[in-house]
Amino acid sequence: MNAFITAISAFLPGEAVENDALDEYLGKTGRISARTRQMILAGNGIQTRYYAIDPATGKTSFTNARLAAAAVRRLGFDEESKEKRLECLCCGTSSADQIMPGHASMVHGELGGGPCEVISTSGICLSGITAMKYAAMSVSSGMSKNAVATGSELASTYMRQDFFLAAAERKKKNGVGKQRHLAFSFEADFLRWMLSDGAGAVLIEPEPASGKLSLQINWIELISHAHRLETCMYAGALKQEDGSLVGWRDCIRTGKQEGVFTIKQDARLLNKEIIRTMVGQSLPLVIDKYALKPKNIDWFLPHYSSDFFREPLKVGLRKIGFPLPDEKWFTNLRTKGNTGSASFYIMLEELFSSGRLRQGDRILGMIPESGRFSVGWVLLTVV
């Protein structure tokens, strides 16, 4: 593929937030939520993260579009840039500021500058890498002379105490049984202590940059298992006993909208399928297609939501004959948090800027999303 990442940027809003300062940003928790928080933080390994929240006023300091635009500007594209015109802008997110119009249009509006093609990719964590794949294909095919891809998240707007408790309290007042109420609270609260805000961007061109390192995009593979697995992570819907979803419009129409817009995770289904499906039933397809061998991988960048999954992931790789030793792994989950569709970009930027890459190094990226179980596998070569 004649597509090269010639510049990478990351943007994290505000100051790093440590675990003992979460209440200052998200609000004080109730007894049930405090227990959930203690359990989740003990397992996810996140020590600091970033929120687009002004702790002094409690106001949101950035929209999602502004987060993405800030990352793009760090690539050298802004209203004052005259040297290079952006031809294609591809933006992925799971938390757009609005239902319509598309996220990429809003990012383009923040950037200003001249006209360009804009593509919005939806989904969850995988939306950032689908944006990158479109950008790479556009450049590789000659349809664009350059393209920028972004992943960005404003997860904190879902995580605030007032947003979360309003839904839970309404459900309780409407006569939902105690056990069902506790289950609902855990489904929604589970992700509250794992998600945070941030954005990343890459510039893709048909030739490597002159006089410095670039990353050749060898391939990007996207694999969905929605044909056989029910929904695991969702928002804007309520899950039924049979595993189906009722969308937000029908929920509002029938007066059953309590909690419909909170992000929820079926933790039991996640633990059952995440490694078996994302690794055991996905990576072998990629290995066969590209004759991939673990000895040829120099860096492994896995996006996982919690340190809890690191050891099971290692075991899953060994089971399919693709072991990758610890010294090849690179993640910044502990310091940058889980930023969803932006996570791979933010990991890649830190590694790229670290001075540790050498010409010829091969980077394998893994970007799963539990929405309805999809995964992206990416191979990059340092040139």
Side-chain angles (χ1 to χ4, degrees):
M1 180 180 286
N2 293 322
F4 298 83
I5 296 174
T6 57
I8 313 175
S9 70
F11 181 79
L12 295 159
E15 302 294 327
V17 180
E18 297 183 355
N19 288 340
D20 59 5
L22 291 176
D23 286 355
E24 297 175 29
Y25 289 82
L26 302 183
K28 291 188 179 297
T29 60
R31 180 174 53 85
I32 295 173
S33 187
R35 288 205 306 267
T36 304
R37 178 177 68 179
Q38 183 179 14
M39 179 178 64
I40 298 303
L41 290 177
N44 68 19
I46 299 172
Q47 298 174 353
T48 56
R49 80 282 291 148
Y50 295 78
Y51 295 124
I53 299 172
D54 182 340
T57 65
K59 292 182 179 180
T60 300
S61 56
F62 284 86
T63 65
N64 191 327
R66 285 185 61 207
L67 287 172
V72 176
R73 289 191 185 99
R74 291 186 172 185
L75 298 175
F77 291 99
D78 52 37
E79 291 185 3
E80 287 72 39
S81 177
K82 304 295 182 184
E83 296 182 3
K84 186 180 293 183
R85 184 178 72 84
L86 176 58
E87 294 201 357
C88 182
L89 176 65
C90 308
C91 301
T93 188
S94 60
S95 57
D97 300 307
Q98 65 293 309
I99 297 174
M100 302 180 214
H103 177 56
S105 294
M106 303 305 290
V107 177
H108 187 209
E110 290 287 338
L111 288 171
C116 68
E117 179 182 7
V118 296
I119 299 295
S120 303
T121 59
S122 62
I124 311 179
C125 299
L126 208 57
S127 61
I129 205 65
T130 55
M132 190 184 293
K133 182 168 185 175
Y134 186 99
M137 290 191 299
S138 182
V139 170
S140 182
S141 66
M143 298 293 288
S144 304
K145 293 180 181 178
N146 63 57
V148 165
T150 73
S152 62
E153 297 296 352
L154 188 64
S156 61
T157 51
Y158 288 101
M159 306 296 123
R160 305 284 285 269
Q161 185 73 351
D162 50 3
F163 182 94
F164 174 76
L165 279 185
E169 286 303 313
R170 280 197 302 269
K171 209 163 187 70
K172 187 176 181 182
K173 289 177 182 178
N174 285 347
V176 177
K178 182 178 180 181
Q179 291 302 317
R180 182 70 186 94
H181 173 61
L182 291 176
F184 167 79
S185 297
F186 183 78
E187 284 177 2
D189 213 14
F190 177 75
L191 288 165
R192 189 174 177 204
W193 313 112
M194 298 171 67
L195 302 177
S196 53
D197 304 338
V202 296
L203 170 61
I204 300 175
E205 298 181 282
E207 301 288 341
S210 177
K212 61 179 183 178
L213 295 181
S214 298
L215 301 175
Q216 182 175 11
I217 301 175
N218 297 94
W219 43 257
I220 299 175
E221 289 289 326
L222 308 174
I223 304 168
S224 167
H225 294 271
H227 63 293
R228 63 181 184 82
L229 294 173
E230 66 184 53
T231 305
C232 181
M233 180 178 175
Y234 53 100
L238 295 178
K239 192 172 182 178
Q240 307 302 293
E241 294 295 333
D242 64 359
S244 64
L245 295 187
V246 176
W248 62 272
R249 284 170 292 193
D250 277 338
C251 289
I252 292 175
R253 181 180 59 82
T254 58
K256 298 178 180 178
Q257 71 267 31
E258 294 89 352
V260 69
F261 286 110
T262 57
I263 304 177
K264 294 168 282 292
Q265 177 101 66
D266 187 332
R268 293 182 183 87
L269 182 59
L270 176 72
N271 291 338
K272 178 183 176 183
E273 294 290 347
I274 189 67
I275 302 301
R276 179 170 66 182
T277 296
M278 303 304 196
V279 178
Q281 298 175 1
S282 297
L283 184 54
L285 302 176
V286 178
I287 292 171
D288 289 344
K289 184 173 182 178
Y290 296 105
L292 201 61
K293 298 182 185 303
K295 68 179 182 179
N296 295 331
I297 302 302
D298 300 286
W299 297 95
F300 180 45
L301 272 61
H303 164 54
Y304 46 79
S305 60
S306 169
D307 216 36
F308 173 83
F309 293 113
R310 183 181 175 98
E311 191 60 32
L313 177 54
K314 289 168 65 176
V315 173
L317 289 168
R318 287 199 298 268
K319 280 184 176 180
I320 63 168
F322 204 86
L324 293 169
D326 286 343
E327 58 267 24
K328 293 187 177 185
W329 289 50
F330 184 89
T331 175
N332 53 16
L333 176 70
R334 295 192 176 196
T335 56
K336 301 302 193 307
N338 176 7
T339 51
S341 66
S343 288
F344 182 69
Y345 289 81
I346 293 170
M347 273 194 292
L348 191 63
E349 188 278 332
E350 185 169 324
L351 177 61
F352 189 78
S353 302
S354 70
R356 300 168 66 185
L357 294 177
R358 298 291 179 264
Q359 186 171 344
D361 281 359
R362 306 190 90 183
I363 302 168
L364 179 66
M366 173 193 176
I367 306 95
E369 70 170 40
S370 61
R372 197 153 175 177
F373 295 100
S374 299
V375 61
W377 292 94
V378 185
L379 187 68
L380 309 171
T381 301
V382 181
V383 297

